[in-house]
């Protein structure tokens, strides 16, 4: 038995494979995948695999996940650049922490600070929604490469700073060779952003589905009434009457099949593909803060981001998402920091 795969990685892997033509079927917490031959060859896998199963686990650093990352990035052009930041904040960090971070169940204080470099990635994803009509577009998702947190606004704000682009042969070593976690989270996040972009499209489609289902129901109800009434015609033989009764009995089944067809017609298939990435090296201030929860204390590193002029989100110890609204959960000898969603599901 292997443990359940990470839901984020499973979504990433299944979206990616689907966008490359795989057919997927949920099987418990794993996904049975039928791969087209060229995808199977690329991934060095048979044409039928159990994604997240024993032979194809989704674990950071596993050869299979590495091949998926290569698949997601091999045709994605990447631009590397360093932002020139004219001024880095030097003091006032205690106030900044108390203003930016909402911490519940613990106390926080800034203990040290140092200038450092941080890497961010803006991933440009293309989405295509296919139903009875088609809609396409691009979304941009900015993430911190070290935490995978989404840095809201960075995709536009970075343009306000002068930058120096690096040619492929001179990419500085600060950039991680395989920023899987950041990339996975960016593509996963792109799904959420896409859903917002598509909300009008979704609701228009649901309206049309609702209307067509209602018309179908009304049509069959009217037909049933008409057929019932026709049973009383004097010139019908008993055999004809029986035949008509059998037809009336079949109507609900026929109607449900028609409604099923409509649901299939309006079902939505959304595929998201990474199209380009911008990786930015940004001078930042790293803050060490001490968090005291009951009698336990822990030290956490926070990043003051000069582009957004605020602290980057803190990584949730449970789901890996980022938030500046954090709940401390001190048990035994450790303090876990949870985002509002994970705290709510505690
Ligand atoms: Zn969380």
């Amino acid at each position: 038995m292997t443990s359940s795969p990470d839901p984020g990685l499973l979504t990433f892997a299944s979206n990616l494979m689907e966008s490359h033509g795989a057919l997927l079927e949920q099987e418990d917490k794993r996904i049975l995948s039928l791969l087209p031959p060229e995808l199977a060859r690329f991934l060095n896998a048979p044409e039928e695999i159990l994604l997240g199963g024993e032979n194809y686990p989704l674990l950071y650093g596993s050869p299979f996940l590495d091949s998926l990352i290569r698949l997601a990035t091999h045709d994605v052009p990447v631009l590397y650049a360093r932002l020139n930041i004219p001024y880095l904040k030097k003091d006032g960090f205690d106030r900044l922490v108390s203003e930016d971070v909402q911490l519940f169940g613990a106390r926080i204080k800034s203990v040290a600070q140092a200038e450092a470099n941080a890497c961010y990635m803006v991933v440009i994803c293309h989405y295509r929604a296919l139903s009875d009509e088609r809609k396409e577009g691009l979304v941009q998702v900015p993430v911190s490469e070290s935490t995978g947190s989404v840095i809201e606004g960075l995709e536009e704000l970075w343009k306000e700073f002068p930058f120096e682009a690096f040619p492929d042969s001179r990419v500085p070593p600060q950039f991680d060779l395989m920023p899987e976690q950041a990339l996975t989270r960016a593509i996963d996040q792109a799904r959420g952003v896409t859903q917002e972009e598509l909300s009008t499209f979704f609701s228009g489609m649901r309206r049309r589905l609702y209307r067509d289902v209602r018309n179908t129901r009304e049509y069959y109800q009217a037909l049933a009434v008409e057929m019932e009434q026709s049973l009383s015609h004097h010139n019908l033989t008993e055999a004809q009457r029986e035949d008509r009764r059998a037809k009336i009995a079949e109507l609900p089944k026929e109607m449900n099949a028609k409604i099923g067809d409509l649901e299939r017609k309006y079902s939505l298939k959304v595929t998201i593909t990474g199209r380009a990435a911008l990786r930015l090296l940004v001078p930042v201030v790293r803050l060490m803060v001490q968090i005291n929860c009951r009698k336990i204390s822990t030290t956490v590193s926070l990043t003051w981001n000069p582009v957004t002029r605020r602290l980057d989100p803190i990584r949730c110890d449970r789901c890996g998402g980022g938030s500046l609204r954090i709940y401390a959960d001190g048990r035994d000898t450790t303090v876990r920091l949870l985002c509002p969603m994970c705290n709510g599901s505690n």
Side-chain angles (χ1 to χ4, degrees):
M1 270 304 276
T2 47
S3 57
S4 300
D6 177 282
L9 283 183
L10 197 62
T11 315
F12 162 72
S14 39
N15 289 344
L16 178 68
M17 287 171 52
E18 207 169 29
S19 71
H20 283 80
L23 295 174
L24 308 178
E25 195 177 300
Q26 184 86 32
E27 199 166 89
D28 191 17
K29 288 188 175 141
R30 290 158 185 87
I31 289 177
L32 187 64
S33 323
L34 289 178
L35 316 183
E38 58 286 9
L39 179 60
R41 256 196 313 279
F42 186 97
L43 296 173
N44 196 18
E47 290 183 15
E48 185 179 324
I49 63 169
L50 190 61
L51 198 56
E54 209 166 326
N55 294 327
Y56 297 93
L58 294 172
L59 301 170
Y60 287 114
S62 72
F64 183 65
L65 186 62
D66 284 352
S67 331
L68 285 178
I69 304 284
R70 264 200 306 284
L71 176 67
T73 51
H74 78 293
D75 51 0
V76 176
V78 181
L79 175 70
Y80 292 85
R82 179 192 164 87
L83 287 195
N84 292 323
I85 305 289
Y87 163 79
L88 269 186
K89 193 173 171 66
K90 299 265 185 296
D91 46 30
F93 290 107
D94 265 328
R95 192 160 141 225
L96 178 85
V97 168
S98 65
E99 279 172 4
D100 275 9
V101 184
Q102 278 184 285
L103 179 69
F104 301 89
R107 294 208 333 213
I108 186 170
K109 82 169 185 227
S110 161
V111 288
Q113 72 215 41
E115 292 185 10
N117 283 304
C119 295
Y120 296 90
M121 189 188 320
V122 180
V123 185
I124 299 160
C125 296
H126 171 260
Y127 66 82
R128 188 172 57 210
L130 276 180
S131 170
D132 60 327
E133 52 180 286
R134 170 193 181 111
K135 197 163 167 58
E136 303 184 66
L138 293 173
V139 291
Q140 294 191 53
V141 183
V143 290
S144 148
E145 291 197 1
S146 58
T147 62
S149 294
V150 176
I151 311 296
E152 276 176 34
L154 186 91
E155 75 281 20
E156 292 300 329
L157 291 168
W158 74 269
K159 296 171 192 161
E160 292 173 11
F161 295 85
F163 71 95
E164 171 199 350
F166 299 109
D168 281 353
S169 56
R170 283 196 23 241
V171 173
Q174 285 97 332
F175 286 106
D176 202 344
L177 274 182
M178 297 280 277
E180 303 93 332
Q181 231 170 326
L183 193 67
T184 317
R185 197 160 280 279
I187 294 183
D188 197 25
Q189 190 67 23
R191 230 179 153 68
V193 181
T194 301
Q195 268 169 357
E196 278 168 37
E197 295 262 322
L198 287 174
S199 59
T200 337
F201 180 64
F202 285 139
S203 53
M205 201 183 62
R206 270 196 298 271
R207 253 197 320 275
R208 289 198 301 281
L209 171 64
Y210 179 76
R211 178 201 64 199
D212 287 2
V213 167
R214 194 188 51 208
N215 289 347
T216 307
R217 285 221 164 88
E218 283 173 3
Y219 168 79
Y220 275 94
Q221 276 156 9
L223 189 63
V225 170
E226 201 178 297
M227 286 170 80
E228 294 272 0
Q229 283 167 349
S230 74
L231 286 176
S232 56
H233 279 189
H234 303 299
N235 52 357
L236 281 185
T237 64
E238 198 43 44
Q240 283 173 322
R241 206 161 273 148
E242 266 314 300
D243 183 46
R244 214 159 274 193
R245 278 202 192 97
K247 282 199 174 115
I248 295 174
E250 279 298 300
L251 285 181
K253 204 166 133 195
E254 224 177 277
M255 180 184 78
N256 287 336
K258 277 272 179 323
I259 291 178
D261 285 346
L262 285 172
E263 278 163 355
R264 269 188 294 283
K265 174 180 159 195
Y266 285 112
S267 71
L268 193 69
K269 188 173 157 58
V270 182
T271 46
I272 294 173
T273 334
R275 283 295 164 88
L278 168 68
R279 297 183 69 184
L280 294 171
L281 189 62
V282 181
V284 296
V285 179
R286 276 279 189 238
L287 293 184
M288 293 308 286
V289 296
Q290 194 177 335
I291 292 179
N292 294 308
C293 176
R294 299 189 191 137
K295 293 205 167 102
I296 318 160
S297 99
T298 186
T299 313
V300 175
S301 152
L302 302 185
T303 302
W304 181 75
N305 185 326
V307 182
T308 58
R309 304 199 57 79
R310 61 187 309 215
L311 289 173
D312 283 348
I314 299 173
R315 195 170 188 278
C316 167
D317 284 329
R318 184 182 287 171
C319 70
S323 178
L324 281 174
R325 198 178 160 84
I326 285 288
Y327 294 79
D329 179 20
R331 282 186 205 168
D332 307 325
T333 53
T334 50
V335 183
R336 290 199 314 159
L337 302 177
L338 302 177
C339 72
M341 221 144 55
C342 290
N343 182 61
S345 64
N346 240 357

